[in-house]
């Protein structure tokens, strides 16, 4: 069965899209640790990050780097944290999180955003994506 993220890529489930190319897709996490919390996924559905080939892994990191740069330009923060977990959704995803303190990486304190805030954030980050 297709993962929830494959359904997002296929447009069957809505997302706050930031950017995509032929192989990767980036969108806002719906339950963010902080404003701008973004997920970067390969379009090819794979469960675990280290099951990707070395080439796919490096390409995923290259795409994530470009997203992180756009986040740095858009969201005032101390730095961009990066994490890979995958216990909830078995489709490789890199969490990129604008952080100011260690707790922002702990997936406990969640930021509540309105639909309009999500839309504005995605649009602003996308505008800084190169
Ligand atoms: P994990 O698999 O533990 O790395 O976490 C999965 C992440 O995906 C969580 O941070 C969720 O908030 C996020 N998530 C789950 N469903 C969606 C969705 N439909 N749109 C955006 N983010 C999602």
């Amino acid at each position: 069965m297709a993962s929830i993220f494959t359904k997002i890529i296929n447009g069957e489930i809505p997302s706050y899209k930031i950017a995509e190319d032929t192989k990767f897709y980036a969108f806002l996490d719906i339950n963010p640790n902080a404003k701008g919390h973004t997920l970067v996924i390969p379009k090819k559905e794979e469960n675990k990050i280290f099951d990707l080939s070395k080439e796919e892994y490096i390409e995923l990191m290259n795409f994530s780097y470009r997203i992180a740069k756009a986040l740095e330009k858009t969201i005032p923060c101390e730095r961009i944290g990066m994490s890979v977990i995958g216990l909830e959704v078995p489709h490789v995803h890199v969490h990129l999180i604008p952080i100011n303190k260690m707790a922002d990486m702990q997936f406990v304190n969640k930021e509540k955003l309105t639909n309009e805030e999500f839309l504005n954030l995605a649009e602003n980050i996308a505008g800084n994506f190169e």
Side-chain angles (χ1 to χ4, degrees), residues 9 58 85 99 128-129:
I9 293 162
I58 288 165
I85 306 171
I99 58 172
N128 284 322
F129 179 74

Side-chain angles (χ1 to χ4, degrees), residues 4-5 8 13-15 27-33 37 39 84-90 93 95 107 110:
I4 187 167
F5 289 169
I8 283 177
I13 292 177
S15 69
F27 58 108
L28 291 177
D29 194 299
I30 203 69
N31 189 22
N33 291 18
H37 182 166
L39 302 177
V84 176
I85 306 171
L87 289 171
E88 186 185 323
V89 180
H93 49 284
H95 293 265
F107 295 83
K110 295 295 184 170

Side-chain angles (χ1 to χ4, degrees), residues 9-52:
I9 293 162
N10 293 337
E12 295 161 37
I13 292 177
S15 69
Y16 298 103
K17 176 178 147 181
I18 290 170
E20 70 177 314
D21 69 5
T22 54
K23 293 185 176 172
F24 304 101
Y25 191 95
F27 58 108
L28 291 177
D29 194 299
I30 203 69
N31 189 22
N33 291 18
K35 275 198 181 86
H37 182 166
T38 296
L39 302 177
V40 185
I41 62 178
K43 290 186 173 177
K44 179 184 154 211
E45 191 174 322
E46 189 72 70
N47 180 353
K48 301 177 188 171
I49 191 160
F50 297 118
D51 286 342
L52 294 174

